[in-house]
Amino acid sequence: MKTVPTRVHADLGQRAVVDSGALPWHPSPLAGVERRLLERDGGEVARATSLVRYAPASCFSPHHHGGGEEFLVLEGVFSDEHGDYGPGTYVRNPVGSSHAPFSAAGCTILVKLRQMDPADQTRVVIDTRSSAFVPGLVAGLSVLPLHGFGTEQVALVRWQPGTRFPLHAHPMGEEIFVLDGVFEDGQGAYPAGTWLRNPPGSRHVPYSSSGCLIWVKTGHLGQAIPA
């Protein structure tokens, strides 16, 4: 088995932009389960943000989440002993939880490991494809809140073509995964499959010329840096 890198975009104070489609798939310890590493700090037990792909009829051995787990099903059906989670399902398994995941038909998920506050013990399961979005702060923007705890906020945000958000700062950082369309700001254009991390204190003017759907998390990257 090839050695899996232990440090990938591990400095949370640095901006990162990753085209996930250009990354190699790294094997996991279990046959049929592979990973594309977006960020990682550690070995097999690591703070990590990854795309994880399950081949049909593959499974992962029962395991414990010492730092919690958060995932969004991108395609296929992910399953465990608690249920089946189809495309668009958002799940949070809190610190101390355990399960034995598998996929009968195969799936791909965006997953974050060991990044939760131990005090946040709410398990979350949301089918985003059947949930209602609410109007955002500017015309053309709609939001589906997924979770909030302390300063952390997680949501899906839909941008209609031509939508533009004013200049603003992220005192505790921002993380984005582009699900559909093209997200943009003054530093570039980011098509579907792009993962971005804007560090604490960063500022930008985001927009979308053609429209997009993004998963976004804010307020979670350490100590706040004043704007």
Side-chain angles (χ1 to χ4, degrees):
M1 181 182 295
K2 293 181 179 179
T3 301
V4 177
T6 58
R7 286 185 60 82
V8 178
H9 299 299
D11 184 349
L12 302 183
Q14 296 298 313
R15 186 172 189 263
V17 179
V18 178
D19 173 7
S20 67
L23 296 178
W25 288 101
H26 292 279
S28 80
L30 279 299
V33 182
E34 301 174 297
R35 302 160 292 186
R36 280 176 164 163
L37 311 181
L38 303 177
E39 66 169 347
R40 191 174 188 89
D41 192 1
E44 279 305 320
V45 178
R47 174 196 166 94
T49 303
S50 313
L51 297 185
V52 178
R53 179 172 67 181
Y54 282 71
S58 62
C59 63
F60 214 90
S61 54
H63 57 275
H64 174 81
H65 289 297
E69 173 191 57
E70 172 186 21
F71 65 86
L72 178 68
V73 181
L74 302 179
E75 58 183 19
V77 179
F78 178 88
S79 303
D80 62 15
E81 64 270 37
H82 306 296
D84 299 318
Y85 315 102
T89 305
Y90 173 77
V91 178
R92 289 177 71 96
N93 292 317
V95 173
S97 61
S98 61
H99 68 163
F102 63 95
S103 183
C107 67
T108 302
I109 63 175
L110 170 68
V111 60
K112 297 180 69 64
L113 298 173
R114 304 183 69 83
Q115 300 179 42
M116 286 186 184
D117 188 323
D120 183 4
Q121 285 293 303
T122 301
R123 184 170 189 264
V124 176
V125 179
I126 297 173
D127 179 357
T128 67
R129 294 197 173 184
S130 62
S131 301
F133 283 66
V134 298
L137 294 176
V138 299
L141 208 65
S142 56
V143 179
L144 174 56
L146 298 175
H147 188 66
F149 184 83
T151 60
E152 177 188 348
Q153 298 293 325
V154 189
L156 294 187
V157 181
R158 181 176 290 130
W159 298 66
Q160 295 300 321
T163 302
R164 189 178 187 89
F165 203 87
L167 175 66
H168 63 284
H170 293 289
M172 294 186 68
E174 175 189 53
E175 188 176 346
I176 290 169
F177 188 81
V178 183
L179 298 167
D180 187 47
V182 180
F183 176 78
E184 299 166 87
D185 64 15
Q187 299 184 69
Y190 316 105
T194 304
W195 174 78
L196 302 94
R197 184 182 64 215
N198 292 316
S202 57
R203 299 160 61 89
H204 68 162
V205 178
Y207 62 96
S208 181
S209 301
S210 58
C212 65
L213 176 66
I214 63 174
W215 171 92
V216 60
K217 181 197 285 277
T218 61
H220 65 300
L221 292 177
Q223 186 174 357
I225 296 179

